[in-house]
Amino acid sequence: MALKFMMAAAAATMMRQISVVAPVTPTPLVAHRVDDLEMEMEPAPIEPSWIIAGQPEARVALHSRSGDEGASTAIWDCTAGEFRWYFDWDETVVILEGAVHVTAQDGSERLLRAGDIGTFAGGTWATWRIDTYVRKIAFCRKRFPAPVAMAYRLRNLLRGGSTSSGGLAA
């Protein structure tokens, strides 16, 4: 009974939000060469209280944003330095150039270098140490509110498990 009530409340909340927000027609395709975005890079200063060592200078260029503004893709680069970083959103990175030594909040360490893919959970901290330079593609997605996330998990369970391809056609 409680689960049905939670599902109904989540559905009602989503419907209220949908009726207030005008529908957005998504752009069918957004495409850029990574190197072309280099010209659009803008300063993205790191919060000074997060810097541990050096004077890292970061830049970012937005590639795309979803119609509901719940996801975005950007190119980000940074010079040498060490700093803590808080991930507001879930973020998957593909390192394009250079390398970064990452220490997650659980103490695990990993060197990510060109060609590596890493995922950081929203709501977590990590320490980044960049010896010379790093450039990455960042795929960011806002976390759903707990009732919506629960509804998705329930839907996946009812569909026969959570081994979904995440909407990928391949």
Side-chain angles (χ1 to χ4, degrees), residues 1 7 13 19 24 37 45 56 66 76 97 101 109 127 135 137 148 157:
M1 183 67 170
M7 294 291 292
T13 300
S19 64
V24 176
L37 287 172
S66 64
W76 182 91
E97 184 179 345
H101 300 267
E109 296 180 26
T127 300
R135 181 168 64 149
I137 299 175
V148 176
L157 180 65

Side-chain angles (χ1 to χ4, degrees), residues 2-3 6-7 10 144-157:
L3 182 58
M6 286 177 36
M7 294 291 292
F144 290 122
V148 176
M150 184 181 299
Y152 271 104
R153 284 193 293 275
L154 179 60
R155 180 202 65 177
N156 291 341
L157 180 65

Side-chain angles (χ1 to χ4, degrees), residues 4-59:
K4 287 182 182 179
F5 179 73
M6 286 177 36
M7 294 291 292
T13 300
M14 287 188 296
M15 293 306 293
R16 278 193 299 258
Q17 291 175 354
I18 290 171
S19 64
V20 172
V21 177
V24 176
T25 304
T27 303
L29 172 66
V30 177
H32 295 96
R33 289 194 43 78
V34 171
D35 294 336
D36 291 344
L37 287 172
E38 184 77 23
M39 294 181 293
E40 298 179 25
M41 300 287 280
E42 296 182 2
I46 297 166
E47 164 61 41
S49 65
W50 296 357
I51 296 174
I52 298 168
Q55 296 178 343
E57 293 184 21
R59 301 180 308 157

Side-chain angles (χ1 to χ4, degrees), residues 60-85:
V60 68
L62 181 67
H63 168 268
S64 58
R65 182 169 309 193
S66 64
D68 65 0
E69 298 188 4
S72 64
T73 302
I75 302 296
W76 182 91
D77 70 359
C78 190
T79 60
E82 184 174 5
F83 52 90
R84 289 179 38 100
W85 190 264

